[in-house]
């Protein structure tokens, strides 16, 4: 009884540790990214927003960078910093919009009105039609002036999606306000599209101040390794110093390991995005358990294996021999006809030839059975019709394409459990 | 009934009443004194006669024009009926920018005496809709409350420049030599100040019957609705009489009047006339002793007074709900008596006043005044309590009882009583006979009671709906005012030279003048000015690329035109601005125009109809409207109705509409407009050329205006660069602003001159103009760079600018092997490809296609190679 309670306690303790570690990893990501982002960009943005908040100067700026480059994070840090300024604290209204949520101007306007708590909002409900809302908001913004009304910060996440709204009404109006003597506003757009300015209409573009902040990570691999180490390490104020020491030591050791370095380098080569690193490390950390309470090399290798596996190869492993044979037949057809589409009849013929020639291990299947297998492949989308035919073609003669790379088929065959040798040979042979 | 529905579907026929009263041989005109209007579907004809206030059909159905009828004549043929008018204007007809001159919120029923020489005061007689009631309110007095919504109040005079106090003389119907006196009672009226008892009797019997009716029906509005417009001329006569009477005892009357801002006025007026100056003192002293229930009124009054008393009293016998003559009743009586208390000093006794004060808190402002005058403690106590309760009303009373005895005393003529008294003239015959019998029975007590009641009843409908709606109003924010909350601390002013320069360079800052657009300014100015002066309409089309100062120039033109309108160099006009981008739908243009013109809200279709009517209907005193339509191309609809209307209205004869349209493209009329629209737009076009570098330089210099922040070379560099690219002044200013920031940043590190120099400007230009693709490629990950390379290799192999993912992927794997990297699998390859696609370095087509995803480059191959080689 006593023992079991102890074990439970330990379990719980370790579990809590794990949770803590995970949380720490999450938190440290924020810090690291902010450090990595050029300090000067941070200062530039902060200064810009400060001027809006304090001097009532209208501005517009775009933050452009690939996915996972820390745009939102940067803005979050800047806003946090801004809000800690005493003179800006109570003087700023913040409106956050996301192009994925506010898919048209109507919704966006309602959301702006709601977040500004204008007078046509009761509770969470915004009254009035689209036209009324627009007129109301514009009137409200027009009434304000530089010195007396509170500056409004408009954060438009996924800015490029707003450019697809009809006539770009919202963008025009926001940018127009930012270029006229009305309520001071700062329009902050976040986007990953480098060509976002080309999306804007001429008149909208002219009203934009053309201030762009580009976030590209010019990170070297050594820095990347440091980030990994910092992310995995537990902070010094961790409640259990013994565990913390042990853990941090294991992390340092891990980072020096050659295999681990290789894995990290591959990940780094793939992308410098911290999100992909994060998901890799998260998988590794979540393998830590009571039996081994430190992060080991094997954990990371397993995590990498899980992450880097090819999705279609996995599907191939679950196919029957007949289906695999059909795939091989299609591969041969592709080789013969240089990627031209094929139909079921051709595949079937190819398969029959194989059976007649050297089939020892494979039964002769009836045509309907083969057809069934083919349809299964179709459902798995390993095979896809060229175009959903305008004219009704018999199913056997519908043109198809194989959605698999040559390499994928071969790899799947290698790993397929108990694959008949003659099938393997057939796949390897140059001719069908 | 007095709300005249002016929809077109109602057909009216106009007829002269009686024979012509005069003739002008020279002009071949025949003058008439009244005209009857019969409306289809109504049995009763309305009659308008000279001196009466009438409604004239205007372009706004809900607010027809108001005027006073001065003359009616017909020409030779007898076909055309013409009316000569004195106009009144509503607040909504006053130009928007002048409305603030009023200095307060206008009363919803307020109108202004219109004095403008230039205004045409002759209209077609057939535009008359009917009569309306107008009441003159002296300047200091509050607007009477609780009166019918159909009555309009006039307090001030509007002479197109300012609001002035209205001389009450102007409100009297002029005695034109050609036309006979306004009513048959005219001669008697003029016989004042010894008034004709019979007239007064009739007048008071009006009150009497009204009172009795209202006690019966408990609704004053109903009683009022009994008015027929045809009786108004008599009312005029009476009012004129009263006016002259009033002169005799202005002060006292005033004191009583001011306590009664509402319905009570009529009674007070009547009673006030009974008082003369000397009575003031006696009043206050005698007030202490209030009358008992039975009030004997001594007949040592002037004949007028006698009459009054006589006709006041019979009411009590008429009122059906008067079975009791209790103490309460006594109080009522006492209250009624208060004004005339002086008559019988002996009869007045104390206790009644106390009871009075205690019982009647709310609805006897007259009490308040009376008690406030009394020196008694208890009375003062009560009066203070009353004041508390009626805080607003009380305030007014206080104010006025302190500082009254104004100059305008003699002009206090509530026309209310006239109307009331006149309305009952037809009943006079019946009552006349009864009068004398009843008069002596119960004196006085009833009249005031009934008026009291009517007043209460008039008030209740006003209160109850507000109570009912009260819980509902907070839920539906119908009258929400659009506003952004104000900041706690005021914005900081620019601190140093660079900040000052930055503030001046911001596009939003309004420059003192607009340099470099003098020619365009002059052209637009001349165009608009000539149209405004001629009172005609026209269209102008202004085009130019963004940021060339189109809207700014038009605004500047309007500003200076408005200035000269202020100084009376040109007629007044109204400026309305709409923007195609600031509306959700082209048809919303109508709604916005209508709202800005008349503050009305309507659906697009209705608004279009109203505007159509407004711009096509002839209206003599219409101001020119200058309409600026920005971003015209967005008003395009398939049928082009909106554009058609916008350009068609100015061509109407009476429209007086000038339309200035702005768009970006020069050939917009040819490109998107169908012929009939383009033809109406006309050929008055102007195009704004992009600024040249000299102009840009001048713009910056004039904006900076002696704030020394830029080196000369730096300015030149910016303007040359921008002029070469777009000629967009906004861009130029933004670059300069950015340069000041950079300068400020670097200035803190190594202090040079403190001025914005070449290097700063170069940096700013680099930031704004340099393409980010190259740096994006340089910062991409290894696999991404390899993939780009693979794309180029595949393009070269195919000789096309497009490849499928499968093809590129093969190249990619080969390149990986060359580079000594482990080849990526398909999933990884696709991830890399998608990431490049999301930055738009690659253009991808439908990720569903998977291996057959088509790939194109969004950057030139050379750029990619350059970026990759530099590594």
């Amino acid at each position: 009884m006593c023992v079991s309670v102890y074990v439970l306690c330990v379990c719980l303790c370790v579990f809590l540790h794990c949770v803590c570690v995970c949380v720490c990893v999450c938190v440290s990501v924020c810090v690291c990214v902010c450090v990595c982002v050029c300090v000067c960009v941070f200062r530039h943005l902060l200064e810009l927003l400060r001027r809006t908040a304090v001097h009532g100067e209208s501005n517009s700026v775009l933050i452009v960078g690939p996915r996972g480059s820390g745009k939102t994070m940067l803005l979050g840090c800047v806003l946090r910093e801004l809000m800690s300024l005493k003179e800006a604290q109570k003087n700023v209204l913040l409106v956050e919009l996301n192009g994925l949520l506010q898919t048209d101007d109507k919704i966006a306007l309602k959301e702006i009105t709601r977040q500004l708590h204008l007078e046509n909002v009761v509770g969470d409900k915004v009254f009035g039609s689209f036209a009324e809302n627009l007129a109301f908001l514009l009137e409200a913004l027009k009434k304000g002036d530089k010195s007396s009304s509170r500056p409004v910060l408009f954060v438009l996440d996924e800015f490029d999606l707003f450019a697809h709204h009809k006539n770009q009404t919202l963008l025009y109006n926001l940018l127009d306000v930012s270029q006229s003597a009305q309520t001071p506003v700062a329009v902050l757009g976040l986007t990953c599209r480098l060509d976002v300015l080309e999306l804007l209409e001429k008149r909208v573009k002219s009203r934009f101040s053309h201030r762009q902040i580009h976030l590209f990570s010019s990170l070297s691999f050594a820095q990347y390794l440091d980030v990994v180490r910092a992310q995995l390490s537990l902070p010094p104020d961790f409640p259990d110093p013994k565990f913390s020491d042990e853990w941090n030591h294991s992390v340092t050791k891990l980072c020096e390991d050659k295999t681990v370095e290789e894995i990290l380098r591959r990940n780094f080569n793939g992308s410098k995005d911290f999100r992909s690193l994060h998901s890799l490390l998260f998988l590794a950390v979540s393998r830590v358990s009571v039996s081994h309470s430190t992060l080991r090399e094997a954990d990371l290798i397993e995590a990498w294996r899980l992450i880097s596996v090819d999705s279609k190869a996995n599907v191939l492993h679950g196919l029957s021999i007949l289906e695999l044979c059909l795939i091989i037949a299609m591969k041969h057809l592709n080789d013969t006809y240089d990627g031209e589409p094929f139909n079921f009849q051709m595949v079937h013929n190819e398969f029959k030839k194989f059976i007649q020639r050297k089939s020892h291990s494979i039964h002769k299947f009836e045509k309907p059975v083969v057809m069934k297998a083919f349809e299964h492949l179709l459902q798995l989308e390993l095979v896809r019709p060229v175009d959903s035919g305008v004219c009704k073609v018999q199913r056997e003669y519908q043109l198809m394409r194989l959605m698999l790379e040559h390499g994928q088929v071969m790899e799947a065959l290698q790993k397929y459990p108990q694959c008949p040798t003659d099938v393997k040979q057939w796949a390897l042979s140059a001719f069908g | 009934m007095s709300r005249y529905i002016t929809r077109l579907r109602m057909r009216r026929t106009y007829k002269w009443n009686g024979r012509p009263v005069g003739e002008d041989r020279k002009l071949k005109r025949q003058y008439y004194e009244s005209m009857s209007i019969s409306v289809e579907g109504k049995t009763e004809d309305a009659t308008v006669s000279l001196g009466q206030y009438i409604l004239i059909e205007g372009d706004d159905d809900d607010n027809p024009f108001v005027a006073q009828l001065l003359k009616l004549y017909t020409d030779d043929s007898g076909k055309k009926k013409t009316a000569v008018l004195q106009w009144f204007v509503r607040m909504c007809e006053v130009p928007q920018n002048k409305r603030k001159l009023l200095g307060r919120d206008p009363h919803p029923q307020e109108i202004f005496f219109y004095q403008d020489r230039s205004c045409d005061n002759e209209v077609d007689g057939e535009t008359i809709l009917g009569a309306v009631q107008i009441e003159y309110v002296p300047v200091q007095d509050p607007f009477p409350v609780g009166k019918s919504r159909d009555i309009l109040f006039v307090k001030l005079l509007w002479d197109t420049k300012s609001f002035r106090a209205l001389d009450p003389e102007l409100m009297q119907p002029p005695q034109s030599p050609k036309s006979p006196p306004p009513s048959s009672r005219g001669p008697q009226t003029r016989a004042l100040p010894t008034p004709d008892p019979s007239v007064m009797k009739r007048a008071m019997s009006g009150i009497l019957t009204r009172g009795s009716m209202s006690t019966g029906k408990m609704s004053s509005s109903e009683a009022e609705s009994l008015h027929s417009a045809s009786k108004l001329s008599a009312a005029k006569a009476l009012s004129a009489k009263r006016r002259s009477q009033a002169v005799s005892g202005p002060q006292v009357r005033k004191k009583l009047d001011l306590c009664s801002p509402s319905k009570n006025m009529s009674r007070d007026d009547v009673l006030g006339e009974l008082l003369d100056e000397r009575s003031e003192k006696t009043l206050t002293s005698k007030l202490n002793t209030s009358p008992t229930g039975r009030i004997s009124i001594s007949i040592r009054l002037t004949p007028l007074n006698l009459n009054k008393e006589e006709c006041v009293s019979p009411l009590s016998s008429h009122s059906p709900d008067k079975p009791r003559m209790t103490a309460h009743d006594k109080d009522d009586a006492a209250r009624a008596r208060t004004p005339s208390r002086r008559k019988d000093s002996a009869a007045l006794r104390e206790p009644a006043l106390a009871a009075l004060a205690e019982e009647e808190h709310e609805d006897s402002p007259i009490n308040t005044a009376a008690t406030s005058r009394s020196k008694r403690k208890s009375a003062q106590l009560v009066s203070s309590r009353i004041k508390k309760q009626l805080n607003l009303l009380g305030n007014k009373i206080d104010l006025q009882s302190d500082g009254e005895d104004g100059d305008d005393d003699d002009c206090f003529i509530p026309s209310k009583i006239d109307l009331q008294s006149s309305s009952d003239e037809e009943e006079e015959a019946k009552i006349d006979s009864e009068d004398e019998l009843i008069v002596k029975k119960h004196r006085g007590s009833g009249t005031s009671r009934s008026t009291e009641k009517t007043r209460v009843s008039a008030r209740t409908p006003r209160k109850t709906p507000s109570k009912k709606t009260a819980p509902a109003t907070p839920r539906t924010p119908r009258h929400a005012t659009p506003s952004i909350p104000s900041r706690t601390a005021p914005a900081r002013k620019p601190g140093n030279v660079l900040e000052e320069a930055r503030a001046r360079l911001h596009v939003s800052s309004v420059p003192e003048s607009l340099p470099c657009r003098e020619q365009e300014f002059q052209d637009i100015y001349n165009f608009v000015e000539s149209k405004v002066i001629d009172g005609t309409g026209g269209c102008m089309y202004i085009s130019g690329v963004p940021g060339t100062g189109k809207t700014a120039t038009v605004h500047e033109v309007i500003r200076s035109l408005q200035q000269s309108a202020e100084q009376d160099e040109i007629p007044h006009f109204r400026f309305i601005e709409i923007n195609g981008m600031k509306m959700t739908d082209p048809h919303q243009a109508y709604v916005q125009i209508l709202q800005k013109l008349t503050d009305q809200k309507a659906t697009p279709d209705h608004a279009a109809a109203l505007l159509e009517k407004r711009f096509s209907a002839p209206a003599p005193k219409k101001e020119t409207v200058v309409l600026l339509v920005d971003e015209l191309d967005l008003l395009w609809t398939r049928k082009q109705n909106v554009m058609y209307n916008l350009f068609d209205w100015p061509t109407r004869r009476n429209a007086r509409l000038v339309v200035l349209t702005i768009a970006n493209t020069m050939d917009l009329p040819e490109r998107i407009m169908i012929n009939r629209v383009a033809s109406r737009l006309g050929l008055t076009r102007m195009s704004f050329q992009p600024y040249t570098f000299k102009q840009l330089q001048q713009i910056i210099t004039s904006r900076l205006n002696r704030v020394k922040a830029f080196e000369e070379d730096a300015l030149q560099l910016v303007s040359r660069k921008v002029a070469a690219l777009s000629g967009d002044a906004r861009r130029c200013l933004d670059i300069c602003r950015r340069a000041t920031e950079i300068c400020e940043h670097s200035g803190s590190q190594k202090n040079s001159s403190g001025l914005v120099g070449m290097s700063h400007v170069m940096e700013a230009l680099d930031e704004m103009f340099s393409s980010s693709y190259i740096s994006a490629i340089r910062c991409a990950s290894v696999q991404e760079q390899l993939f780009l390379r693979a794309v180029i290799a595949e393009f070269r192999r195919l000789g096309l600018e497009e490849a499928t993912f499968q093809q590129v992927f093969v190249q990619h794997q080969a390149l990986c092997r060359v580079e000594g990297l482990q080849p990526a699998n398909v999933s990884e390859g696709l991830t890399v490809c998608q990431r490049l696609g999301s930055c738009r370095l690659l253009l991808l087509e439908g990720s569903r296609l998977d291996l057959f995803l088509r790939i194109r480059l969004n950057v030139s191959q050379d750029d990619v190679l350059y970026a990759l080689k530099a590594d």
Side-chain angles (χ1 to χ4, degrees), chain A residues 26 35 56 82 121 155 179-180 222 243 255 273 295 302 326 369 389 401:
Chain A
C26 297
V35 170
L82 183 75
V121 180
V155 177
Q179 298 256 314
S180 50
F243 177 80
C255 289
D273 178 3
L295 197 60
E302 181 60 18
L326 288 181
V369 178
R401 269 185 208 279

Side-chain angles (χ1 to χ4, degrees), chain B residues 651-663:
Chain B
T651 60
R652 308 276 166 84
R653 205 166 63 82
N654 296 302
R656 293 197 173 190
L657 176 70
V658 182
V659 178
L660 303 172
T661 54
I662 296 182

